[in-house]
Structure formats: structure tokens, C-alpha cells
């Protein structure tokens, strides 16, 4: 295998054990960041696996007043659309805990890809390095809204996305460089449909997920895919 030594692959026997391990990692990261720096900044991912994790997090006794919430990407849909990542996070988690409203930074993708990205880039310009970035992996190897065969745009901290291979075609994503400006990265990889993407990653094929390579490496939590 040719994957970087800083890619740490972790396999789980059940989806429950994977969720538990990710929750534990988030809690540990938060407690450490708050102890060291007085705040915890996290990038959220969308999808069913994160949704289940967020629903567990909301019941934990955390110092929510020190949390700062950001999103890795967002679909250009109305703010109350069921496919918005921010709506999901709010419904299952953020509406139930006492994070100050000014510390929850949704991507204003309802403004369209260009204006939404411009506004979010301004938000991110005032934010320090992230403490943790949560990411998923698509069957095509994409992560956030960094897709195969799309030019990598690092012109700003958040950039517009057009012609997404998955609907809707227009999105806003945090850029590769900004996602890499973090202390920790967790990839959540669940489902046998991700096997080809995982195989390519581990063989050294340059799928979009491999663009995320911060100094401390990444942790890849896997269920129903083989990593041996």
C-alpha cells in the first residue's frame, strides 16, 4: 500500500462502535482545545452517519459556550430545505444545546454559489485554525464538495461549486487549503459502496479526499469497507 503514514485507518465491527469512537474523539478534542485555547472550532459534515453522531453529542455534558460551529460545504437551496446540512445539524443537535447563536456559522448558500462563498470566506477569514474537521467520503472519492475532475480552487477560504455531479449542481465548499488548516481530521467512511474509493485512496490514486492532508495527518473511521 502507498498511502501516507499519516493516514490512520480504523476499522469497526458495527456502526454503533464507529459512532461511539467518533463521539469520543470529538469530546476529547473539544476538552483539550478548550483547556489550551479557551475555544473549540469544528467543521461539520452532512450525511446520515454524522446525523447519528450529532444526536448523541447533544446529550453530553459539554461546555457548549466555548464551541464554534462551521460547515464544510452546503447545497445552494432555500435555508429551510430538507437537504441543507445546516438544517439537519440544527434539528438534531444545535437547537438543543446552549452554543451562542453568534458562534454557529451556517454557510449562506441560499445566496447562490458566488455570493454565498464570498460571504463565508469573510466569516472564515476571522476564524483561527480549526481544531477538528469532520468529513465524509463519496463513492466517487469526493469529500465536502470537492469533486473528481473539478479544478481545485484555493482562491479563497470558501469557494463556489458549479456542475456538481450530485444534485443540486450549485454549492459552496470550504477550500482545500482551509480544510487543511486544522489540528485534526476525521473521515467517516461507512457502506460497502465506498470500497472502490477506499481502494484507490490506499493505492495512492489522487482522489479528492487525498487533497485533505494536514500536518498531523487524518484518521479514517471505517465500517463495511475492507482496509487490509
Amino acid at each position: 500500500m502507498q498511502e501516507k503514514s499519516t493516514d490512520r485507518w480504523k476499522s469497526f465491527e458495527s456502526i454503533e462502535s464507529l459512532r461511539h469512537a467518533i463521539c469520543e474523539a470529538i469530546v476529547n478534542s473539544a476538552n483539550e482545545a478548550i483547556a489550551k485555547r479557551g475555544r473549540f472550532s469544528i467543521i461539520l459534515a452532512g450525511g446520515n452517519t454524522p446525523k447519528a453522531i450529532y444526536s448523541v453529542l447533544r446529550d453530553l455534558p459539554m461546555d457548549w459556550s466555548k464551541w464554534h460551529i462551521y460547515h464544510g460545504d452546503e447545497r445552494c437551496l432555500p435555508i429551510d430545505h430538507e437537504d441543507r446540512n445546516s438544517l439537519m445539524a440544527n434539528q438534531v443537535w444545535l437547537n438543543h444545546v446552549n452554543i451562542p447563536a453568534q458562534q454557529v456559522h451556517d454557510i449562506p448558500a441560499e445566496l447562490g454559489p458566488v455570493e454565498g462563498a464570498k460571504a463565508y470566506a469573510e466569516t472564515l477569514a476571522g476564524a483561527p485554525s480549526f481544531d477538528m474537521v469532520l468529513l465524509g467520503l463519496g463513492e466517487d472519492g469526493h469529500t465536502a464538495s470537492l469533486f473528481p475532475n473539478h479544478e481545485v480552487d484555493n482562491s479563497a477560504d470558501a469557494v463556489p461549486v458549479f456542475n456538481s455531479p450530485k444534485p443540486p449542481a450549485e454549492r459552496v465548499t470550504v477550500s482545500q487549503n482551509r480544510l487543511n488548516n486544522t489540528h485534526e481530521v476525521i473521515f467517516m467512511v461507512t457502506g460497502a459502496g465506498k470500497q472502490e474509493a477506499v481502494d484507490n485512496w490506499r493505492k495512492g490514486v489522487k482522489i479528492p479526499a487525498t487533497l485533505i492532508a494536514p500536518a498531523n495527518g487524518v484518521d479514517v473511521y471505517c465500517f463495511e469497507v475492507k482496509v487490509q
Side-chain angles (χ1 to χ4, degrees), residues 138-220:
E139 294 184 4
D140 61 355
H142 85 268
T143 192
S145 282
L146 305 173
F147 290 103
N149 304 314
H150 280 207
E151 183 176 347
V152 178
D153 183 356
N154 280 308
S155 61
D157 284 350
V159 293
V161 175
F162 304 95
N163 301 315
S164 161
K166 296 181 65 178
E170 295 184 339
R171 299 162 177 242
V172 174
T173 191
V174 177
S175 66
Q176 171 204 5
N177 283 352
R178 193 60 169 94
L179 289 171
N180 278 319
N181 186 7
T182 183
H183 293 281
E184 294 182 67
V185 173
I186 289 179
F187 277 91
M188 298 166 280
V189 182
T190 60
K194 311 293 177 64
Q195 189 66 57
E196 182 179 359
V198 167
D199 290 345
N200 284 335
W201 186 344
R202 289 174 61 80
K203 290 174 185 174
V205 177
K206 299 301 183 184
I207 62 173
T210 63
L211 295 170
I212 311 306
N216 294 334
V218 304
D219 293 288
V220 190

Side-chain angles (χ1 to χ4, degrees), residues 68 99-105:
H68 296 253
I99 301 175
Q102 67 271 21
Q103 293 171 202
V104 177
H105 304 284

